[in-house]
Amino acid sequence: MYKRKIHKKRLIGLIAFSALFLALAGVIVYTTSSEAHTNNHAIKVDTKYPQVEVATTVNTKSGYTIEFPLLHIKEIDQVIKSYLTNRISNFTKNNQGKKLVITYDIAHFSKQTLSINFTEQLNKKSNQTIMKNTINIDLLNKEIIQLENLFASGNSNEYLEILSRIASNELKNNEEISLSDKEIDKVTAPMKENFKEFIVFNNSIVFILKPNNNVDIPLAISKSILEQMLRDPYKSGDQNADVIKDIEPSDIITELPKKEIQVPLDKKVIALTFDDGPKAGTTNIILDALKKYNANATFFVLGSMAEKNPELLKEIAERGHEIGSHSWDHPQLTKMGNKDIQDQIERTKALIQKITGYAPTVFRPPYGSINQAVYHCLGDTPVAMWDIDTEDWRYRNKNYIVQSVMDGVGDGKTVLMHDIYPTSAEAAVEVIRQLKTQGYEIVSVSELKEIQKQRQQAQAK
Ligand code: ZN
């Protein structure tokens, strides 16, 4: 009943696992019919991965041809078997009398993960693919990796927001994608359904977006920008390195997109800046208010504070706010030697980059003290000062701080506050609310600069 083409070296292994294989074949046949069939089974060694055997089950009566990898690890073969059983059962329900061919290829194979692409066709000659599915198996935990298993559970839907932002930005800026903005918004919305198809590589994760049944859009995202959210087993490293060199995805996205500025040029704008943080308990209050009123801000952080609150710094960046550097620990830079200045600037920059994936885009010197030596160390990084100083560090009174901002506001101004005092955080919430009521668009300092540039260009025309 069983015909097998067996590689001689594999024979011993096969005998040991023949019981498993019989069980597997039985399950596949099970979904077809209760009658007796003629089944042909073949096993050969995968040409690329010697540790994998390619099993083929042909059910001549129903015409199924199912090709699948056998790893001879009981739980994993069981996972694959369950997957296939489901697929066949699903096909039988919807396609009575038709013939299903399933083939596969291995997209990635490491100690930690195995990614298998299954292709379902109506019959092999017609080459008509009806479905492509990828399953990712955690070889050490011996289970299928679902989307939510990839990411740490801390901030439950944060990863979806990030994936959505990256995908939307990529699709809208790719000329080869012929989808409307509305279609892009739908396929990139922060929902598990949109990102459930993926392949885990060592340095990237490829998400396969499916705007409709006929189109697959692969989106390769570097793990470097997802690193902080990824669960440890799936971070880049030895465990996830290719066992045999895989075909790496090209065009990997390595930067988080900035939030788009869409401010009408005639709208009043104001930049809010928060210095000396981030600090748990106070920065969060400001972040929530910014979110509530759909506002952006720049946080001029200290390296020493960011080191104590890395998660918070990451959150600021992930919410699309701008991160500026404010030195490592707030010295008066103009009183320091070149080497110390450089140390203050470079150390902070490296830490911000490590935590957020971005170098700080702007710098504000402590006390506003700056000289040529500091400019020299900063290189291309622009310096941003302020127009409205609330002196909130001195006046720890919410109403006083709110009043001093509102007395000074005007189109194009920059407000300086500190996100390390509870009174300042409370005042910021009220300031944001009042500015919105007065019709201001609240932006980061770089956005303000960009808007002012655009206005000048518009005027020059
Ligand atoms: Zn400061």
Side-chain angles (χ1 to χ4, degrees):
M1 192 170 174
Y2 294 99
K3 289 179 198 165
R4 287 180 183 161
K5 288 174 192 164
I6 302 169
H7 195 284
K8 275 180 188 165
K9 283 182 198 163
R10 289 272 143 194
L11 191 58
I12 293 166
L14 270 177
I15 291 165
F17 285 95
S18 59
L20 171 72
F21 181 68
L22 286 173
L24 192 68
V27 170
I28 289 166
V29 173
Y30 160 77
T31 56
T32 60
S33 150
S34 57
E35 294 169 39
H37 320 296
T38 313
N39 291 299
N40 293 320
H41 302 270
I43 290 185
K44 61 185 182 196
V45 177
D46 191 303
T47 47
K48 188 173 172 189
Y49 299 95
Q51 59 274 69
V52 178
E53 285 178 344
V54 186
T56 309
T57 295
V58 181
N59 180 309
T60 49
K61 177 149 190 270
S62 304
Y64 296 122
T65 304
I66 314 291
E67 185 189 279
F68 56 95
L70 267 181
L71 278 88
H72 298 305
I73 300 168
K74 192 177 162 197
E75 297 91 335
I76 291 162
D77 290 337
Q78 180 68 39
V79 161
I80 296 171
K81 183 174 74 176
S82 302
Y83 166 80
L84 289 168
T85 305
N86 268 329
R87 294 309 307 163
I88 292 167
S89 147
N90 188 53
F91 180 85
T92 312
K93 252 185 262 162
N94 302 317
N95 300 280
Q96 285 219 328
K98 289 183 180 162
K99 294 172 179 179
L100 174 66
V101 176
I102 300 183
T103 51
Y104 81 90
D105 61 87
I106 290 177
H108 178 64
F109 198 155
S110 67
K111 282 180 200 152
Q112 186 76 46
T113 69
L114 168 67
S115 303
I116 311 166
N117 296 325
F118 283 104
T119 304
E120 298 177 15
Q121 289 171 301
L122 275 182
N123 87 52
K124 215 164 190 173
K125 279 176 200 156
S126 78
N127 242 354
Q128 190 192 352
T129 298
I130 49 172
M131 182 78 83
K132 275 182 174 239
N133 280 315
T134 303
I135 61 169
N136 296 275
I137 300 169
D138 187 321
L139 294 173
L140 300 180
N141 292 315
K142 301 187 174 70
E143 59 189 18
I144 289 210
I145 308 168
Q146 308 288 1
L147 179 66
E148 57 268 34
N149 304 140
L150 276 180
F151 299 99
S153 57
N155 204 338
S156 63
N157 285 329
E158 182 192 31
Y159 71 86
L160 285 172
E161 300 278 343
I162 303 283
L163 294 179
S164 166
R165 188 141 60 91
I166 295 171
S168 167
N169 179 69
E170 188 65 20
L171 266 53
K172 284 179 181 171
N173 291 307
N174 188 333
E175 285 167 7
E176 285 167 31
I177 305 284
S178 56
L179 297 172
S180 69
D181 278 6
K182 207 176 162 190
E183 287 170 309
I184 291 176
D185 288 344
K186 187 163 175 260
V187 75
T188 63
M191 292 157 54
K192 282 181 189 168
E193 188 63 22
N194 283 334
F195 299 96
K196 66 172 186 184
E197 197 84 12
F198 56 86
I199 305 169
V200 182
F201 289 94
N202 186 19
N203 297 313
S204 66
I205 299 175
V206 176
F207 291 90
I208 297 135
L209 305 182
K210 299 191 171 183
N212 58 57
N213 283 337
N214 307 316
V215 181
D216 284 357
I217 304 174
L219 203 68
I221 303 177
S222 169
K223 281 188 183 172
S224 64
I225 54 174
L226 303 172
E227 189 84 7
Q228 295 283 329
M229 297 186 299
L230 281 176
R231 283 183 53 220
D232 286 343
Y234 309 124
K235 292 182 177 176
S236 307
D238 288 349
Q239 289 293 94
N240 284 284
D242 303 345
V243 168
I244 292 153
K245 187 130 185 62
D246 299 314
I247 299 164
E248 290 285 335
S250 55
D251 295 333
I252 297 177
I253 301 162
T254 54
E255 280 199 353
L256 268 178
K258 303 243 158 60
K259 264 197 200 166
E260 272 181 63
I261 333 168
Q262 283 172 327
V263 179
L265 295 185
D266 55 353
K267 198 165 182 192
K268 290 188 290 183
V269 285
I270 195 158
L272 289 190
T273 64
F274 298 97
D275 292 11
D276 297 2
K279 191 175 177 195
T282 46
T283 304
N284 313 68
I285 292 170
I286 297 169
L287 283 177
D288 288 347
L290 289 167
K291 189 175 182 184
K292 182 175 172 190
Y293 293 99
N294 194 24
N296 263 2
T298 303
F299 289 81
F300 286 98
V301 302
L302 294 174
S304 55
M305 292 296 279
E307 192 177 41
K308 279 183 225 157
N309 301 286
E311 289 297 316
L312 193 50
L313 184 75
K314 185 172 67 105
E315 194 177 345
I316 298 171
E318 283 171 356
R319 290 198 187 193
H321 300 296
E322 181 173 38
I323 297 196
S325 166
H326 193 43
S327 81
W328 184 264
D329 54 7
H330 219 276
Q332 188 145 359
L333 295 172
T334 49
K335 290 185 175 164
M336 295 178 113
N338 285 352
K339 203 175 167 298
D340 288 338
I341 297 171
Q342 191 163 7
D343 184 59
Q344 286 280 332
I345 291 170
E346 290 304 321
R347 210 173 146 203
T348 309
K349 180 178 171 180
L351 181 76
I352 292 172
Q353 190 148 25
K354 187 175 159 231
I355 295 172
T356 68
Y358 279 118
T361 41
V362 59
F363 182 82
R364 174 174 285 165
Y367 315 102
S369 314
I370 193 156
N371 60 13
Q372 279 309 315
V374 179
Y375 277 118
H376 181 77
C377 282
L378 284 169
D380 292 337
T381 308
V383 171
M385 297 299 194
W386 58 88
D387 302 302
I388 302 164
D389 186 356
T390 57
E391 296 199 6
D392 57 339
W393 51 272
R394 191 198 305 263
Y395 304 103
R396 307 289 178 86
N397 177 302
K398 176 191 160 189
N399 292 337
Y400 179 88
I401 300 165
V402 171
Q403 204 50 50
S404 69
V405 176
M406 298 315 292
D407 283 348
V409 295
D411 182 35
K413 298 253 164 130
T414 299
V415 180
L416 162 63
M417 295 179 80
H418 296 84
D419 54 327
I420 54 170
Y421 309 113
T423 41
S424 299
E426 286 165 29
V429 175
E430 181 59 17
V431 162
I432 293 164
R433 192 189 69 78
Q434 289 195 21
L435 286 172
K436 278 284 174 177
T437 310
Q438 291 192 11
Y440 279 97
E441 194 69 30
I442 302 170
V443 298
S444 68
V445 290
S446 291
E447 285 169 340
L448 179 65
K449 207 169 148 191
E450 175 62 26
I451 290 161
Q452 285 170 331
K453 197 174 103 192
Q454 286 176 15
R455 281 177 178 175
Q456 276 176 358
Q457 284 168 348
Q459 263 185 352
K461 275 178 191 163

